[in-house]
């Protein structure tokens, strides 16, 4: 298995633009997680899905953030409109028992 | 509310030294304590984990020591190597809602000098 796949690996955008991050979890994993990592706040869980259904989105910082999982092999995290304070590394992880992380997307909002 | 406190924030040791990273937790319901290793530009990867009914676990040069009464656990890296330079996260998890809900520490950036 190729592990958790995320795209793009780097994204630079201007404030106000829409940003879409993508994730392909490990096949057979029932859970998918979106995390945000910053120096100030460390790793924060934003939202997680079970069998494609969002279970807990209490970590999503604002209504500007939304996440979907249309099928078992694909999820997106969207930020609209983006702001400079959204600059961070966003990780997707999937799990059966243990969580396996993707390589992350480094987002820079100018 | 931070439920897992990790220290130090950064650590520099010489090759062959034994860096020690400490973590403390509050919630006694946690039932699984993993450590993750993260290299620059990569996602965190599971390194080693322990359950609270065990006081020590070794995997290669990595050892977790666990003190249930003190609600503390630590990671020791024996004979550290420059290739161990990475950020290490302790975590505590609880099985809830059908999965291991993980709470991460804030991370320790380790540098091993040749």
């Amino acid at each position: 298995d190729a592990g958790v796949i995320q795209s793009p690996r780097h994204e630079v955008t201007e404030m106000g633009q829409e940003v879409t991050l993508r994730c392909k979890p490990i096949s057979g994993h029932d859970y998918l997680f979106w995390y945000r990592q910053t120096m100030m706040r460390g790793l924060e869980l934003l939202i997680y899905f079970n069998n494609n259904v969002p279970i807990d989105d209490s970590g999503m910082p604002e209504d500007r953030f939304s996440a979907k999982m249309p099928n078992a092999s694909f999820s997106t995290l969207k930020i609209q409109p983006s702001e400079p304070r959204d600059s961070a590394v966003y990780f997707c992880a999937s799990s059966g028992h243990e969580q396996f992380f993707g390589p992350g997307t480094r987002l820079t909002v100018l | 509310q931070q439920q897992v406190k990790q220290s130090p924030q950064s650590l520099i040791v010489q090759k062959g030294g034994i860096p020690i990273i400490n973590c403390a937790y509050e919630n006694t319901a946690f039932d699984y304590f993993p450590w993750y290793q993260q290299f620059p530009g990569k996602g965190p990867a599971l390194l080693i984990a322990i359950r609270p009914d065990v006081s020590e676990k070794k995997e290669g040069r990595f050892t977790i020591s666990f003190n249930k009464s003190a609600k503390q656990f630590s990671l020791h890296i024996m004979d550290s190597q420059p290739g161990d330079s990475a950020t290490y996260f302790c975590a505590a998890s609880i099985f809830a809602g059908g999965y291991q809900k993980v709470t991460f520490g804030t991370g320790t950036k380790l540098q091993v000098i040749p």
Side-chain angles (χ1 to χ4, degrees), chain A residues 9 31 33 35 37 43 45 48 56 91 97-99 101-103, chain B residues 32 36 38 41-44 46 51 89 97-100 102 104:
Chain A
R9 294 295 312 277
Y31 289 86
F33 309 84
Y35 289 88
Q37 185 177 41
L43 266 169
L45 177 64
Y48 79 92
D56 184 352
F91 289 103
H97 178 67
E98 302 289 354
Q99 288 193 29
F101 284 76
Chain B
Y32 189 65
Y36 287 81
Q38 184 180 23
K42 305 288 187 182
L46 180 66
R51 295 202 179 273
F89 294 91
Y99 82 107
Q100 286 287 345
V102 183
F104 289 90

PDB file of all heavy atoms in Angstrom, chain A residues 9 31 33 35 37 43 45 48 56 91 97-99 101-103, chain B residues 32 36 38 41-44 46 51 89 97-100 102 104:
ATOM      1  N   ARG A   9       1.272  18.974  -2.171  1.00  0.00           N
ATOM      2  CA  ARG A   9       2.209  18.968  -1.053  1.00  0.00           C
ATOM      3  C   ARG A   9       2.475  20.389  -0.568  1.00  0.00           C
ATOM      4  O   ARG A   9       2.720  20.608   0.617  1.00  0.00           O
ATOM      5  CB  ARG A   9       3.529  18.314  -1.472  1.00  0.00           C
ATOM      6  CG  ARG A   9       3.421  16.828  -1.795  1.00  0.00           C
ATOM      7  CD  ARG A   9       3.039  16.008  -0.553  1.00  0.00           C
ATOM      8  NE  ARG A   9       3.845  16.358   0.606  1.00  0.00           N
ATOM      9  CZ  ARG A   9       5.044  15.855   0.836  1.00  0.00           C
ATOM     10  NH1 ARG A   9       5.574  14.975   0.022  1.00  0.00           N
ATOM     11  NH2 ARG A   9       5.729  16.225   1.922  1.00  0.00           N
ATOM     12  N   TYR A  31     -11.570   4.960   9.421  1.00  0.00           N
ATOM     13  CA  TYR A  31     -11.545   6.296   9.991  1.00  0.00           C
ATOM     14  C   TYR A  31     -10.598   7.187   9.204  1.00  0.00           C
ATOM     15  O   TYR A  31      -9.503   6.756   8.811  1.00  0.00           O
ATOM     16  CB  TYR A  31     -11.106   6.254  11.458  1.00  0.00           C
ATOM     17  CG  TYR A  31     -12.151   5.660  12.369  1.00  0.00           C
ATOM     18  CD1 TYR A  31     -12.224   4.281  12.568  1.00  0.00           C
ATOM     19  CD2 TYR A  31     -13.082   6.475  13.002  1.00  0.00           C
ATOM     20  CE1 TYR A  31     -13.204   3.733  13.390  1.00  0.00           C
ATOM     21  CE2 TYR A  31     -14.058   5.935  13.827  1.00  0.00           C
ATOM     22  CZ  TYR A  31     -14.118   4.575  14.007  1.00  0.00           C
ATOM     23  OH  TYR A  31     -15.085   4.040  14.817  1.00  0.00           O
ATOM     24  N   PHE A  33      -8.977  11.279   9.410  1.00  0.00           N
ATOM     25  CA  PHE A  33      -8.807  12.442  10.272  1.00  0.00           C
ATOM     26  C   PHE A  33      -8.124  13.556   9.500  1.00  0.00           C
ATOM     27  O   PHE A  33      -7.245  13.305   8.677  1.00  0.00           O
ATOM     28  CB  PHE A  33      -7.924  12.109  11.481  1.00  0.00           C
ATOM     29  CG  PHE A  33      -8.343  10.878  12.244  1.00  0.00           C
ATOM     30  CD1 PHE A  33      -7.946   9.621  11.825  1.00  0.00           C
ATOM     31  CD2 PHE A  33      -9.120  10.991  13.377  1.00  0.00           C
ATOM     32  CE1 PHE A  33      -8.322   8.484  12.519  1.00  0.00           C
ATOM     33  CE2 PHE A  33      -9.499   9.866  14.084  1.00  0.00           C
ATOM     34  CZ  PHE A  33      -9.100   8.610  13.649  1.00  0.00           C
ATOM     35  N   TYR A  35      -5.901  16.955  10.451  1.00  0.00           N
ATOM     36  CA  TYR A  35      -5.202  17.686  11.493  1.00  0.00           C
ATOM     37  C   TYR A  35      -4.576  18.941  10.899  1.00  0.00           C
ATOM     38  O   TYR A  35      -4.269  19.008   9.718  1.00  0.00           O
ATOM     39  CB  TYR A  35      -4.062  16.845  12.085  1.00  0.00           C
ATOM     40  CG  TYR A  35      -4.452  15.689  12.944  1.00  0.00           C
ATOM     41  CD1 TYR A  35      -4.693  14.430  12.378  1.00  0.00           C
ATOM     42  CD2 TYR A  35      -4.542  15.818  14.325  1.00  0.00           C
ATOM     43  CE1 TYR A  35      -5.013  13.342  13.186  1.00  0.00           C
ATOM     44  CE2 TYR A  35      -4.860  14.738  15.129  1.00  0.00           C
ATOM     45  CZ  TYR A  35      -5.100  13.509  14.546  1.00  0.00           C
ATOM     46  OH  TYR A  35      -5.414  12.427  15.349  1.00  0.00           O
ATOM     47  N   GLN A  37      -1.226  21.503  11.852  1.00  0.00           N
ATOM     48  CA  GLN A  37      -0.037  21.615  12.686  1.00  0.00           C
ATOM     49  C   GLN A  37       0.583  22.992  12.534  1.00  0.00           C
ATOM     50  O   GLN A  37       0.900  23.420  11.420  1.00  0.00           O
ATOM     51  CB  GLN A  37       1.000  20.537  12.325  1.00  0.00           C
ATOM     52  CG  GLN A  37       2.211  20.523  13.256  1.00  0.00           C
ATOM     53  CD  GLN A  37       3.187  19.411  12.924  1.00  0.00           C
ATOM     54  OE1 GLN A  37       3.473  19.134  11.760  1.00  0.00           O
ATOM     55  NE2 GLN A  37       3.691  18.732  13.952  1.00  0.00           N
ATOM     56  N   LEU A  43      -0.278  19.924  17.052  1.00  0.00           N
ATOM     57  CA  LEU A  43      -1.188  19.143  16.218  1.00  0.00           C
ATOM     58  C   LEU A  43      -2.615  19.285  16.748  1.00  0.00           C
ATOM     59  O   LEU A  43      -2.892  18.920  17.878  1.00  0.00           O
ATOM     60  CB  LEU A  43      -0.799  17.671  16.254  1.00  0.00           C
ATOM     61  CG  LEU A  43       0.118  17.151  15.161  1.00  0.00           C
ATOM     62  CD1 LEU A  43       0.598  15.757  15.513  1.00  0.00           C
ATOM     63  CD2 LEU A  43      -0.574  17.128  13.815  1.00  0.00           C
ATOM     64  N   LEU A  45      -6.653  18.309  16.031  1.00  0.00           N
ATOM     65  CA  LEU A  45      -7.621  17.544  15.259  1.00  0.00           C
ATOM     66  C   LEU A  45      -8.741  18.478  14.809  1.00  0.00           C
ATOM     67  O   LEU A  45      -9.368  19.142  15.631  1.00  0.00           O
ATOM     68  CB  LEU A  45      -8.198  16.414  16.103  1.00  0.00           C
ATOM     69  CG  LEU A  45      -9.276  15.563  15.441  1.00  0.00           C
ATOM     70  CD1 LEU A  45      -8.723  14.818  14.236  1.00  0.00           C
ATOM     71  CD2 LEU A  45      -9.873  14.592  16.448  1.00  0.00           C
ATOM     72  N   TYR A  48     -13.074  14.336  12.069  1.00  0.00           N
ATOM     73  CA  TYR A  48     -12.822  12.967  11.656  1.00  0.00           C
ATOM     74  C   TYR A  48     -14.092  12.314  11.113  1.00  0.00           C
ATOM     75  O   TYR A  48     -15.213  12.713  11.469  1.00  0.00           O
ATOM     76  CB  TYR A  48     -12.177  12.133  12.768  1.00  0.00           C
ATOM     77  CG  TYR A  48     -13.104  11.616  13.853  1.00  0.00           C
ATOM     78  CD1 TYR A  48     -13.703  10.365  13.754  1.00  0.00           C
ATOM     79  CD2 TYR A  48     -13.311  12.354  15.013  1.00  0.00           C
ATOM     80  CE1 TYR A  48     -14.499   9.869  14.765  1.00  0.00           C
ATOM     81  CE2 TYR A  48     -14.120  11.871  16.030  1.00  0.00           C
ATOM     82  CZ  TYR A  48     -14.706  10.626  15.904  1.00  0.00           C
ATOM     83  OH  TYR A  48     -15.507  10.143  16.916  1.00  0.00           O
ATOM     84  N   ASP A  56     -17.180  14.076  14.219  1.00  0.00           N
ATOM     85  CA  ASP A  56     -16.878  15.147  15.163  1.00  0.00           C
ATOM     86  C   ASP A  56     -16.124  16.250  14.423  1.00  0.00           C
ATOM     87  O   ASP A  56     -15.002  16.035  13.998  1.00  0.00           O
ATOM     88  CB  ASP A  56     -16.047  14.622  16.331  1.00  0.00           C
ATOM     89  CG  ASP A  56     -15.777  15.679  17.400  1.00  0.00           C
ATOM     90  OD1 ASP A  56     -16.113  16.870  17.174  1.00  0.00           O
ATOM     91  OD2 ASP A  56     -15.235  15.324  18.452  1.00  0.00           O
ATOM     92  N   PHE A  91      -2.499  17.823   7.848  1.00  0.00           N
ATOM     93  CA  PHE A  91      -2.283  16.394   7.701  1.00  0.00           C
ATOM     94  C   PHE A  91      -3.614  15.664   7.624  1.00  0.00           C
ATOM     95  O   PHE A  91      -4.564  15.991   8.333  1.00  0.00           O
ATOM     96  CB  PHE A  91      -1.499  15.826   8.883  1.00  0.00           C
ATOM     97  CG  PHE A  91      -0.062  16.227   8.915  1.00  0.00           C
ATOM     98  CD1 PHE A  91       0.378  17.209   9.792  1.00  0.00           C
ATOM     99  CD2 PHE A  91       0.869  15.617   8.079  1.00  0.00           C
ATOM    100  CE1 PHE A  91       1.706  17.580   9.830  1.00  0.00           C
ATOM    101  CE2 PHE A  91       2.194  15.989   8.119  1.00  0.00           C
ATOM    102  CZ  PHE A  91       2.615  16.978   8.988  1.00  0.00           C
ATOM    103  N   HIS A  97      -6.653   0.450  13.538  1.00  0.00           N
ATOM    104  CA  HIS A  97      -6.384   0.617  14.967  1.00  0.00           C
ATOM    105  C   HIS A  97      -5.437   1.792  15.183  1.00  0.00           C
ATOM    106  O   HIS A  97      -5.720   2.722  15.920  1.00  0.00           O
ATOM    107  CB  HIS A  97      -5.787  -0.651  15.565  1.00  0.00           C
ATOM    108  CG  HIS A  97      -5.449  -0.504  17.021  1.00  0.00           C
ATOM    109  ND1 HIS A  97      -6.411  -0.344  17.995  1.00  0.00           N
ATOM    110  CD2 HIS A  97      -4.264  -0.454  17.664  1.00  0.00           C
ATOM    111  CE1 HIS A  97      -5.830  -0.218  19.172  1.00  0.00           C
ATOM    112  NE2 HIS A  97      -4.530  -0.291  19.001  1.00  0.00           N
ATOM    113  N   GLU A  98      -4.282   1.757  14.533  1.00  0.00           N
ATOM    114  CA  GLU A  98      -3.313   2.847  14.643  1.00  0.00           C
ATOM    115  C   GLU A  98      -3.590   3.882  13.578  1.00  0.00           C
ATOM    116  O   GLU A  98      -4.068   3.565  12.503  1.00  0.00           O
ATOM    117  CB  GLU A  98      -1.891   2.314  14.444  1.00  0.00           C
ATOM    118  CG  GLU A  98      -1.468   1.223  15.401  1.00  0.00           C
ATOM    119  CD  GLU A  98      -1.243   1.730  16.805  1.00  0.00           C
ATOM    120  OE1 GLU A  98      -1.305   2.957  17.014  1.00  0.00           O
ATOM    121  OE2 GLU A  98      -1.020   0.907  17.697  1.00  0.00           O
ATOM    122  N   GLN A  99      -3.214   5.126  13.901  1.00  0.00           N
ATOM    123  CA  GLN A  99      -3.344   6.198  12.912  1.00  0.00           C
ATOM    124  C   GLN A  99      -2.085   6.276  12.063  1.00  0.00           C
ATOM    125  O   GLN A  99      -0.972   6.278  12.590  1.00  0.00           O
ATOM    126  CB  GLN A  99      -3.583   7.539  13.604  1.00  0.00           C
ATOM    127  CG  GLN A  99      -4.964   7.675  14.198  1.00  0.00           C
ATOM    128  CD  GLN A  99      -5.294   9.103  14.599  1.00  0.00           C
ATOM    129  OE1 GLN A  99      -4.800  10.056  14.025  1.00  0.00           O
ATOM    130  NE2 GLN A  99      -6.141   9.238  15.611  1.00  0.00           N
ATOM    131  N   PHE A 101      -0.330   8.703   9.200  1.00  0.00           N
ATOM    132  CA  PHE A 101      -0.412  10.058   8.676  1.00  0.00           C
ATOM    133  C   PHE A 101       0.099  10.141   7.244  1.00  0.00           C
ATOM    134  O   PHE A 101       1.039   9.432   6.858  1.00  0.00           O
ATOM    135  CB  PHE A 101       0.425  11.012   9.532  1.00  0.00           C
ATOM    136  CG  PHE A 101      -0.211  11.366  10.851  1.00  0.00           C
ATOM    137  CD1 PHE A 101      -0.207  10.471  11.904  1.00  0.00           C
ATOM    138  CD2 PHE A 101      -0.820  12.600  11.031  1.00  0.00           C
ATOM    139  CE1 PHE A 101      -0.789  10.783  13.127  1.00  0.00           C
ATOM    140  CE2 PHE A 101      -1.402  12.931  12.247  1.00  0.00           C
ATOM    141  CZ  PHE A 101      -1.393  12.023  13.291  1.00  0.00           C
ATOM    142  N   GLY A 102      -0.482  11.042   6.495  1.00  0.00           N
ATOM    143  CA  GLY A 102       0.050  11.390   5.195  1.00  0.00           C
ATOM    144  C   GLY A 102       1.212  12.349   5.336  1.00  0.00           C
ATOM    145  O   GLY A 102       1.557  12.755   6.444  1.00  0.00           O
ATOM    146  N   PRO A 103       1.830  12.749   4.213  1.00  0.00           N
ATOM    147  CA  PRO A 103       3.001  13.623   4.249  1.00  0.00           C
ATOM    148  C   PRO A 103       2.666  15.082   4.527  1.00  0.00           C
ATOM    149  O   PRO A 103       3.556  15.876   4.803  1.00  0.00           O
ATOM    150  CB  PRO A 103       3.602  13.462   2.858  1.00  0.00           C
ATOM    151  CG  PRO A 103       2.435  13.115   2.006  1.00  0.00           C
ATOM    152  CD  PRO A 103       1.531  12.297   2.854  1.00  0.00           C
TER     153      PRO A 103
ATOM    154  N   TYR B  32      -3.938   3.937  26.202  1.00  0.00           N
ATOM    155  CA  TYR B  32      -2.917   3.602  25.200  1.00  0.00           C
ATOM    156  C   TYR B  32      -2.050   4.838  25.022  1.00  0.00           C
ATOM    157  O   TYR B  32      -2.573   5.959  24.926  1.00  0.00           O
ATOM    158  CB  TYR B  32      -3.617   3.216  23.895  1.00  0.00           C
ATOM    159  CG  TYR B  32      -2.741   2.646  22.822  1.00  0.00           C
ATOM    160  CD1 TYR B  32      -2.097   1.423  22.992  1.00  0.00           C
ATOM    161  CD2 TYR B  32      -2.574   3.313  21.620  1.00  0.00           C
ATOM    162  CE1 TYR B  32      -1.302   0.886  22.001  1.00  0.00           C
ATOM    163  CE2 TYR B  32      -1.783   2.787  20.616  1.00  0.00           C
ATOM    164  CZ  TYR B  32      -1.153   1.568  20.802  1.00  0.00           C
ATOM    165  OH  TYR B  32      -0.377   1.038  19.823  1.00  0.00           O
ATOM    166  N   TYR B  36       5.144   9.234  18.578  1.00  0.00           N
ATOM    167  CA  TYR B  36       5.293   9.436  17.146  1.00  0.00           C
ATOM    168  C   TYR B  36       6.607  10.169  16.873  1.00  0.00           C
ATOM    169  O   TYR B  36       7.047  11.022  17.650  1.00  0.00           O
ATOM    170  CB  TYR B  36       4.125  10.261  16.578  1.00  0.00           C
ATOM    171  CG  TYR B  36       2.824   9.498  16.506  1.00  0.00           C
ATOM    172  CD1 TYR B  36       2.014   9.336  17.618  1.00  0.00           C
ATOM    173  CD2 TYR B  36       2.407   8.935  15.301  1.00  0.00           C
ATOM    174  CE1 TYR B  36       0.822   8.641  17.555  1.00  0.00           C
ATOM    175  CE2 TYR B  36       1.207   8.236  15.223  1.00  0.00           C
ATOM    176  CZ  TYR B  36       0.433   8.094  16.349  1.00  0.00           C
ATOM    177  OH  TYR B  36      -0.751   7.390  16.270  1.00  0.00           O
ATOM    178  N   GLN B  38       8.555  12.436  13.889  1.00  0.00           N
ATOM    179  CA  GLN B  38       8.283  13.215  12.682  1.00  0.00           C
ATOM    180  C   GLN B  38       9.563  13.832  12.164  1.00  0.00           C
ATOM    181  O   GLN B  38      10.209  14.622  12.867  1.00  0.00           O
ATOM    182  CB  GLN B  38       7.241  14.304  12.956  1.00  0.00           C
ATOM    183  CG  GLN B  38       6.845  15.092  11.713  1.00  0.00           C
ATOM    184  CD  GLN B  38       5.817  16.177  11.990  1.00  0.00           C
ATOM    185  OE1 GLN B  38       5.682  16.648  13.117  1.00  0.00           O
ATOM    186  NE2 GLN B  38       5.074  16.570  10.969  1.00  0.00           N
ATOM    187  N   GLY B  41       9.267  17.731   6.865  1.00  0.00           N
ATOM    188  CA  GLY B  41       8.589  17.508   5.594  1.00  0.00           C
ATOM    189  C   GLY B  41       7.787  16.223   5.521  1.00  0.00           C
ATOM    190  O   GLY B  41       7.253  15.880   4.462  1.00  0.00           O
ATOM    191  N   LYS B  42       7.692  15.517   6.650  1.00  0.00           N
ATOM    192  CA  LYS B  42       6.953  14.254   6.680  1.00  0.00           C
ATOM    193  C   LYS B  42       5.858  14.322   7.731  1.00  0.00           C
ATOM    194  O   LYS B  42       5.864  15.179   8.612  1.00  0.00           O
ATOM    195  CB  LYS B  42       7.894  13.088   7.020  1.00  0.00           C
ATOM    196  CG  LYS B  42       9.095  12.961   6.113  1.00  0.00           C
ATOM    197  CD  LYS B  42       8.707  12.472   4.740  1.00  0.00           C
ATOM    198  CE  LYS B  42       9.944  12.194   3.889  1.00  0.00           C
ATOM    199  NZ  LYS B  42       9.572  11.767   2.521  1.00  0.00           N
ATOM    200  N   GLY B  43       4.926  13.384   7.631  1.00  0.00           N
ATOM    201  CA  GLY B  43       3.923  13.285   8.666  1.00  0.00           C
ATOM    202  C   GLY B  43       4.442  12.482   9.852  1.00  0.00           C
ATOM    203  O   GLY B  43       5.412  11.735   9.727  1.00  0.00           O
ATOM    204  N   PRO B  44       3.810  12.640  11.018  1.00  0.00           N
ATOM    205  CA  PRO B  44       4.203  11.831  12.175  1.00  0.00           C
ATOM    206  C   PRO B  44       4.020  10.347  11.882  1.00  0.00           C
ATOM    207  O   PRO B  44       3.064   9.953  11.203  1.00  0.00           O
ATOM    208  CB  PRO B  44       3.229  12.295  13.269  1.00  0.00           C
ATOM    209  CG  PRO B  44       2.735  13.631  12.820  1.00  0.00           C
ATOM    210  CD  PRO B  44       2.714  13.576  11.329  1.00  0.00           C
ATOM    211  N   LEU B  46       4.118   6.394  13.758  1.00  0.00           N
ATOM    212  CA  LEU B  46       4.145   5.671  15.019  1.00  0.00           C
ATOM    213  C   LEU B  46       5.509   5.030  15.242  1.00  0.00           C
ATOM    214  O   LEU B  46       6.032   4.335  14.369  1.00  0.00           O
ATOM    215  CB  LEU B  46       3.060   4.598  15.020  1.00  0.00           C
ATOM    216  CG  LEU B  46       2.977   3.760  16.291  1.00  0.00           C
ATOM    217  CD1 LEU B  46       2.543   4.621  17.470  1.00  0.00           C
ATOM    218  CD2 LEU B  46       2.010   2.600  16.092  1.00  0.00           C
ATOM    219  N   ARG B  51       0.816   0.192  26.848  1.00  0.00           N
ATOM    220  CA  ARG B  51      -0.447   0.200  27.575  1.00  0.00           C
ATOM    221  C   ARG B  51      -0.156   0.384  29.063  1.00  0.00           C
ATOM    222  O   ARG B  51       0.919   0.017  29.525  1.00  0.00           O
ATOM    223  CB  ARG B  51      -1.222  -1.097  27.312  1.00  0.00           C
ATOM    224  CG  ARG B  51      -1.644  -1.217  25.858  1.00  0.00           C
ATOM    225  CD  ARG B  51      -2.820  -2.151  25.672  1.00  0.00           C
ATOM    226  NE  ARG B  51      -3.210  -2.214  24.267  1.00  0.00           N
ATOM    227  CZ  ARG B  51      -4.055  -1.359  23.696  1.00  0.00           C
ATOM    228  NH1 ARG B  51      -4.580  -0.376  24.405  1.00  0.00           N
ATOM    229  NH2 ARG B  51      -4.363  -1.484  22.429  1.00  0.00           N
ATOM    230  N   PHE B  89       6.613  13.235  19.372  1.00  0.00           N
ATOM    231  CA  PHE B  89       5.348  13.564  20.023  1.00  0.00           C
ATOM    232  C   PHE B  89       4.918  12.393  20.893  1.00  0.00           C
ATOM    233  O   PHE B  89       4.846  11.253  20.416  1.00  0.00           O
ATOM    234  CB  PHE B  89       4.234  13.802  18.998  1.00  0.00           C
ATOM    235  CG  PHE B  89       4.425  15.007  18.139  1.00  0.00           C
ATOM    236  CD1 PHE B  89       5.089  14.914  16.929  1.00  0.00           C
ATOM    237  CD2 PHE B  89       3.930  16.245  18.539  1.00  0.00           C
ATOM    238  CE1 PHE B  89       5.265  16.032  16.124  1.00  0.00           C
ATOM    239  CE2 PHE B  89       4.100  17.366  17.742  1.00  0.00           C
ATOM    240  CZ  PHE B  89       4.773  17.254  16.534  1.00  0.00           C
ATOM    241  N   GLY B  97     -16.025   5.881  20.734  1.00  0.00           N
ATOM    242  CA  GLY B  97     -16.690   6.042  19.451  1.00  0.00           C
ATOM    243  C   GLY B  97     -16.151   5.110  18.391  1.00  0.00           C
ATOM    244  O   GLY B  97     -16.228   5.407  17.197  1.00  0.00           O
ATOM    245  N   GLY B  98     -15.582   3.974  18.820  1.00  0.00           N
ATOM    246  CA  GLY B  98     -15.121   2.990  17.845  1.00  0.00           C
ATOM    247  C   GLY B  98     -13.696   3.169  17.366  1.00  0.00           C
ATOM    248  O   GLY B  98     -13.239   2.441  16.485  1.00  0.00           O
ATOM    249  N   TYR B  99     -12.985   4.134  17.921  1.00  0.00           N
ATOM    250  CA  TYR B  99     -11.601   4.305  17.497  1.00  0.00           C
ATOM    251  C   TYR B  99     -10.789   4.852  18.657  1.00  0.00           C
ATOM    252  O   TYR B  99     -11.319   5.262  19.686  1.00  0.00           O
ATOM    253  CB  TYR B  99     -11.520   5.234  16.285  1.00  0.00           C
ATOM    254  CG  TYR B  99     -11.545   6.711  16.626  1.00  0.00           C
ATOM    255  CD1 TYR B  99     -10.402   7.491  16.529  1.00  0.00           C
ATOM    256  CD2 TYR B  99     -12.716   7.328  17.077  1.00  0.00           C
ATOM    257  CE1 TYR B  99     -10.415   8.838  16.861  1.00  0.00           C
ATOM    258  CE2 TYR B  99     -12.731   8.674  17.408  1.00  0.00           C
ATOM    259  CZ  TYR B  99     -11.582   9.421  17.302  1.00  0.00           C
ATOM    260  OH  TYR B  99     -11.591  10.750  17.635  1.00  0.00           O
ATOM    261  N   GLN B 100      -9.457   4.820  18.471  1.00  0.00           N
ATOM    262  CA  GLN B 100      -8.568   5.376  19.479  1.00  0.00           C
ATOM    263  C   GLN B 100      -8.501   6.890  19.292  1.00  0.00           C
ATOM    264  O   GLN B 100      -7.890   7.373  18.354  1.00  0.00           O
ATOM    265  CB  GLN B 100      -7.164   4.760  19.349  1.00  0.00           C
ATOM    266  CG  GLN B 100      -7.047   3.322  19.840  1.00  0.00           C
ATOM    267  CD  GLN B 100      -7.097   3.213  21.354  1.00  0.00           C
ATOM    268  OE1 GLN B 100      -6.951   4.196  22.058  1.00  0.00           O
ATOM    269  NE2 GLN B 100      -7.319   2.021  21.863  1.00  0.00           N
ATOM    270  N   VAL B 102      -6.964  10.162  19.935  1.00  0.00           N
ATOM    271  CA  VAL B 102      -5.595  10.482  20.329  1.00  0.00           C
ATOM    272  C   VAL B 102      -5.455  11.950  20.706  1.00  0.00           C
ATOM    273  O   VAL B 102      -5.909  12.826  19.973  1.00  0.00           O
ATOM    274  CB  VAL B 102      -4.613  10.147  19.187  1.00  0.00           C
ATOM    275  CG1 VAL B 102      -3.177  10.416  19.627  1.00  0.00           C
ATOM    276  CG2 VAL B 102      -4.770   8.702  18.749  1.00  0.00           C
ATOM    277  N   PHE B 104      -2.426  14.607  21.472  1.00  0.00           N
ATOM    278  CA  PHE B 104      -0.985  14.717  21.286  1.00  0.00           C
ATOM    279  C   PHE B 104      -0.370  15.716  22.254  1.00  0.00           C
ATOM    280  O   PHE B 104      -0.985  16.725  22.618  1.00  0.00           O
ATOM    281  CB  PHE B 104      -0.667  15.163  19.856  1.00  0.00           C
ATOM    282  CG  PHE B 104      -0.926  14.114  18.818  1.00  0.00           C
ATOM    283  CD1 PHE B 104      -2.163  14.017  18.201  1.00  0.00           C
ATOM    284  CD2 PHE B 104       0.067  13.216  18.460  1.00  0.00           C
ATOM    285  CE1 PHE B 104      -2.413  13.042  17.244  1.00  0.00           C
ATOM    286  CE2 PHE B 104      -0.168  12.246  17.504  1.00  0.00           C
ATOM    287  CZ  PHE B 104      -1.412  12.155  16.895  1.00  0.00           C
TER     288      PHE B 104
END
